[in-house]
Amino acid sequence: MTKYKTEKRKARVGERILITEDGFSLGYYKSGDVFTVSSTTDKGVTGENDCFILHHEYEVIVGEHTPAPNLDEMDYDELIALVEDAMKTLRTRAYKNGYDQGRFDAKIEAPKSDQQKRDEIVAQAKEDVRRLLESDYGHDHEFIVNTAKRTVVDLRKIKGCTNIVRRGIAKCAPNDCFNAHIGKAIALRRALGWSVPAEYMNVPQPTEIRVGDVVEITEKTRRKLKTTVHRIENGIVCSNEPYMDFYLAHARRIGLLVTDPKTIDDTRAGKGE
């Protein structure tokens, strides 16, 4: 049974009222009836059935709620109907919630891994270099990449001459992975007198080893081995350097290696880069 929250005041047209007294109803209404007010006077109001109700016979409905049914008082058919209605409502609600959640999830991008962030920054650096070189009319640029010293130098020269107008230098931090593409972008910007984007100076370190990477492995004697990854088989890096694969397999077997391969250069430069 629906319960109502009411206020004791004069009703306005369009409001719903709950009958609380029926002493003057003449059988047209009774206590508990609900009407919508169609007109008002100083003495009372008129309901939608044209019955006149005195002001003291009603209260204005301002809220309502339906209490949960008492299952112990319901017969079998009523219980079945209640369960069916509940299941229908649950299915509708679940579908709507799932749809809304799907739309919400679609708007949220999965957080990028450090490797994805690094890949994007390397791609940005390549495009940066291409765009800046094209826009620097009247000048040639010579890049000197020194993988041993982990540096990149850009020599900016007057076009067709050997005169160096300005130079820019980029040096990789000792514990960072070297990448010539990022180094070129930094050196070029410095040679042009441009600022260096913060992302070039704070690139995440690689978390994946890929073919073409230069990796470093440390032995128990603290000797460091460096090799270029030629292929990866079952998660194990393989080199095309003579005897390197055989040695690494033997060293793993006898526990000589104390670190996993660590990428120290992921430039993987192609032709013309």
Side-chain angles (χ1 to χ4, degrees), residues 1-2 12 26 40 44 49 55 57 63 66 89 111 116 156 170 174-175 179 187 197-198 206 241 243 256-257:
M1 180 180 178
T2 302
R12 294 184 288 270
L26 300 178
T40 66
N49 63 347
H55 286 313
E57 292 183 305
T66 302
T89 302
Q116 289 174 316
R156 187 182 184 218
N175 294 323
N179 186 283
E241 297 177 26
Y243 305 110
L256 184 59
L257 305 180

Side-chain angles (χ1 to χ4, degrees), residues 175-267:
N175 294 323
D176 287 350
C177 176
F178 178 74
N179 186 283
H181 303 298
I182 297 174
K184 287 180 179 180
I186 294 173
L188 175 56
R189 281 179 164 271
R190 287 175 174 167
L192 294 172
W194 287 37
S195 61
V196 177
E199 55 265 33
Y200 291 168
M201 309 302 292
N202 300 284
V203 189
Q205 299 306 299
T207 57
E208 300 175 12
I209 295 178
R210 297 171 178 173
V211 173
D213 287 349
V214 178
V215 297
E216 180 182 81
I217 309 170
T218 306
E219 295 181 327
K220 283 184 177 179
T221 59
R222 310 314 298 174
R223 184 175 69 142
K224 296 182 183 297
L225 304 175
K226 296 180 183 179
T227 188
T228 300
V229 178
H230 180 63
R231 65 188 186 282
I232 300 175
E233 296 179 355
N234 299 321
I236 297 176
V237 300
C238 302
S239 171
N240 62 349
E241 297 177 26
Y243 305 110
M244 180 60 76
D245 279 354
F246 173 80
Y247 175 77
L248 289 177
H250 174 70
R252 289 190 196 95
R253 206 163 36 244
I254 65 175
L256 184 59
L257 305 180
V258 295
T259 65
D260 291 326
K262 173 187 175 182
T263 304
I264 59 174
D265 184 340
D266 64 349
T267 301

Side-chain angles (χ1 to χ4, degrees), residues 8-210:
K8 189 61 178 176
R9 61 174 173 81
K10 291 183 179 180
R12 294 184 288 270
V13 173
E15 289 186 315
R16 298 167 69 213
I17 58 174
L18 174 68
I19 303 300
T20 56
E21 298 182 26
D22 53 13
F24 298 91
S25 68
L26 300 178
Y28 289 105
Y29 54 86
K30 64 182 181 299
S31 293
D33 286 348
V34 175
F35 295 101
T36 300
V37 176
S38 58
S39 63
T40 66
T41 69
D42 291 340
K43 298 288 186 178
V45 300
T46 301
E48 66 263 28
N49 63 347
D50 292 329
C51 62
F52 186 76
I53 306 163
L54 297 173
H55 286 313
H56 72 273
E57 292 183 305
Y58 68 82
E59 293 182 5
V60 179
I61 296 173
V62 294
E64 64 181 88
H65 74 279
T66 302
N70 187 337
L71 302 182
D72 293 332
E73 297 177 355
M74 299 176 67
D75 61 28
Y76 181 80
D77 291 336
E78 290 175 329
L79 285 171
I80 292 296
L82 177 64
V83 170
E84 289 178 346
D85 289 343
M87 292 303 296
K88 181 179 179 180
T89 302
L90 281 172
R91 284 193 293 268
T92 302
R93 183 74 58 84
Y95 174 81
K96 182 180 184 304
N97 289 347
Y99 176 74
D100 291 342
Q101 184 64 42
R103 291 180 61 192
F104 176 75
D105 292 343
K107 295 178 181 178
I108 301 178
E109 293 186 4
K112 295 178 181 177
S113 67
D114 283 349
Q115 185 65 61
Q116 289 174 316
K117 293 176 183 176
R118 184 178 181 88
D119 291 342
E120 289 182 358
I121 294 173
V122 171
Q124 176 185 330
K126 290 181 180 181
E127 178 60 22
D128 203 13
V129 170
R130 184 195 65 77
R131 183 176 54 82
L132 291 175
L133 288 177
E134 287 181 353
S135 63
D136 191 25
Y137 304 110
H139 293 88
D140 291 326
H141 289 263
E142 179 186 353
F143 291 104
I144 302 173
V145 179
N146 189 324
T147 56
K149 293 183 177 179
R150 297 155 56 83
T151 60
V152 177
V153 178
D154 174 29
L155 303 179
R156 187 182 184 218
K157 306 173 183 179
I158 297 176
K159 196 169 189 65
C161 301
T162 58
N163 295 345
I164 298 174
V165 178
R166 192 167 181 176
R167 72 184 67 203
I169 302 174
K171 183 174 177 61
C172 185
N175 294 323
D176 287 350
C177 176
F178 178 74
N179 186 283
H181 303 298
I182 297 174
K184 287 180 179 180
I186 294 173
L188 175 56
R189 281 179 164 271
R190 287 175 174 167
L192 294 172
W194 287 37
S195 61
V196 177
E199 55 265 33
Y200 291 168
M201 309 302 292
N202 300 284
V203 189
Q205 299 306 299
T207 57
E208 300 175 12
I209 295 178
R210 297 171 178 173

